[in-house]
Amino acid sequence: MKISEILKNNKVTVSFEVFPPKEWDKIESTKHIVRQMAKSRPAFMSVTYGAAGTRTGFTTEIANEINSSGVTALSHLTCLTSTKEKINDVLDEWHNNGIENILALRGDIPKGFVFPNDQNFRYAYELVNTIKARGDFCVGGASYPEIHPESKNRIEDIQHLKEKVDCGLDFLTTQMFFDNDIFLNFKENCLIKGIDIPIIAGIMPITNAGYIKRSIELSGCKLPKKFKRIVERFGENPAAMKQAGIIYATEQIIDLMANGQNNIHIYTMNKPDVAESIMKGLSEIINE
């Protein structure tokens, strides 16, 4: 099923993200994680793409497992270091495997990376155009509630996002954030600019204090005082921090839904127990 069909009814949806293993001998354990998460009945599950286009087959394998588990798969695809030929080969592979949903991403710029003169892709919108030219994929894109790290300001950031959306995106998924007011303000700015496709809010349950620095580096997000106090109080106690992180993420999702945000994407870090705990905390709300 195409994700655009899942989102069009304006019903509450909660989806998960998983990532493939780094080595092939771990593929079966990752498939087991997928099957465990599928029991929580997410609306769909996304699977990330290997850095610099590596492990493409791993992404395909996990996406197939998601679909086989009765859940719709969304495959990430990054283009920064790929040629058009490479991207088309991947699209052929995914089409042949019945994978019909793609999250089109530029990808992070590796340290010391220099754009070659003959590089086919510099920006995500170029990838969107290439995928849409195939005509048989549902395509999503990424967005930053707290401004893309390479944008000068919010105005420029929203303008670039609008240009990408106008290439034919079907939905947007945000990077993680911990302050709902920031997301709601971002969503309002998108509407003002004419971005009216579904926006899925990305939520990261921080269950380990050690994740925080890396999470901030990846997303550029800010930590509200409430969350900082949680980390200060429970960060040295792994079990307490895990429970507090799950509760914070659950309450964050409930608040978003109370403010009219129906579509949530959870960055699970491949932890089925965390995903299951959050879904249990939302059981009656999702079915409301």
Side-chain angles (χ1 to χ4, degrees), residues 4-38:
S4 55
E5 292 295 311
I6 295 174
L7 300 176
K8 74 177 185 179
N9 294 323
N10 203 33
K11 293 182 179 179
V12 169
T13 66
V14 179
S15 52
F16 301 155
E17 177 184 282
V18 296
F19 53 81
K22 293 181 179 179
E23 294 84 26
W24 185 256
D25 61 2
K26 301 291 193 305
I27 197 77
E28 290 304 321
S29 62
T30 305
K31 288 182 179 181
H32 177 71
I33 288 171
V34 166
R35 291 192 292 271
Q36 290 298 108
M37 287 191 177

Side-chain angles (χ1 to χ4, degrees), residues 1-3 6 42-46 66-67 70-74 100-101:
M1 177 181 289
K2 286 186 167 58
I3 290 173
I6 295 174
F44 63 88
M45 292 175 66
S46 72
I66 292 170
N67 282 330
V71 178
T72 297
L74 167 65
E100 55 186 357
N101 300 291

Side-chain angles (χ1 to χ4, degrees), residues 109-124:
I109 300 177
K111 187 176 181 180
F113 179 78
V114 177
F115 287 98
N117 292 331
D118 61 348
Q119 180 66 44
N120 282 305
F121 299 100
R122 280 178 175 260
Y123 305 104

